[in-house]
């Protein structure tokens, strides 16, 4: 079986690979930063000794209240950001004058462009599930539908 095109990291530039690694590491650090206080509070409420020590070292219950206010402010800010983003997206979606006009491609032109059989392409368009096989250069070699 040939390798899938999306499983070809050799097609990425080193800068793209490095930026994906940096974004991944930043995402995991952010995830740990958010979950660590929640796990500490859960451990403190369950009376786990290491969590109680960490809670006291971090400033105790008063510090926790301040931190929760900070987290609540961030959550409210993210909600409003999401809300206004959705309003903008929905207003742009329903403005028909700004929509690009989709070009309807004939199946003959598509079949010719991708070097596949026209009747097989018609069959795949009617099918609910289509499997596409590629060669090493990313060209379509077989359609199953």
């Amino acid at each position: 079986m040939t390798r899938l095109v999306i499983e070809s990291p050799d097609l990425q530039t080193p800068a793209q690979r490095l930026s994906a690694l940096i974004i991944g590491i930043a995402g995991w650090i952010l995830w740990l930063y958010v979950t660590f206080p929640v796990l500490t509070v859960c451990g403190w409420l369950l009376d786990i000794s290491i969590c109680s020590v960490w809670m006291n070292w971090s400033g105790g219950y008063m510090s926790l209240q301040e931190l929760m206010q900070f987290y609540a402010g961030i959550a409210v800010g993210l909600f409003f950001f999401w809300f206004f983003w959705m309003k903008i997206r929905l207003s742009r979606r329903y403005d028909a004058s700004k929509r690009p006009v989709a070009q309807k491609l004939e199946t003959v032109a598509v079949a010719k462009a991708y070097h596949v059989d026209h009747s097989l392409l018609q069959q795949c368009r009617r099918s609910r599930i289509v499997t596409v096989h590629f060669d090493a250069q990313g060209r379509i070699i077989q359609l199953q539908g």
Side-chain angles (χ1 to χ4, degrees):
M1 182 175 164
T2 59
R3 288 182 352 178
L4 296 175
V5 173
I6 42 183
E7 292 178 0
S8 298
D10 53 311
L11 297 177
Q12 294 180 339
T13 64
Q16 287 174 327
R17 281 187 241 152
L18 179 65
S19 61
L21 177 70
I22 290 171
I23 290 171
I25 290 172
W28 279 108
I29 289 172
L30 182 63
W31 179 249
L32 291 173
Y33 173 76
V34 169
T35 57
F36 185 73
V38 173
L39 293 175
T40 303
V41 169
C42 290
W44 177 61
L45 292 173
L46 293 172
D47 202 24
I48 298 174
S49 63
I50 188 89
C51 294
S52 296
V53 170
W54 181 261
M55 189 71 175
N56 289 332
W57 185 75
S58 298
Y61 185 71
M62 296 304 286
S63 177
L64 174 66
Q65 283 183 330
E66 292 173 7
L67 188 63
M68 288 302 172
Q69 288 175 352
F70 178 68
Y71 279 178
I74 289 175
V76 168
L78 286 173
F79 171 77
F80 280 116
F81 175 77
W82 173 80
F83 180 77
F84 287 116
W85 178 260
M86 285 296 109
K87 285 193 67 78
I88 290 169
R89 297 281 298 165
L90 288 174
S91 68
R92 290 179 64 202
R93 174 195 262 175
Y94 294 116
D95 190 3
S97 64
K98 292 183 181 178
R99 279 192 218 157
V101 177
Q103 296 178 359
K104 184 170 181 151
L105 295 175
E106 296 297 323
T107 56
V108 176
V110 174
K112 187 177 180 182
Y114 290 104
H115 308 290
V116 294
D117 184 39
H118 174 66
S119 60
L120 181 60
L121 182 63
Q122 288 277 24
Q123 177 187 351
C124 290
R125 288 184 71 177
R126 288 188 297 270
S127 179
R128 292 187 74 195
I129 299 173
V130 177
T131 304
V132 182
H133 298 274
F134 298 95
D135 64 3
Q137 284 76 35
R139 293 183 297 240
I140 298 173
I141 57 173
Q142 183 181 1
L143 290 173
Q144 293 174 340

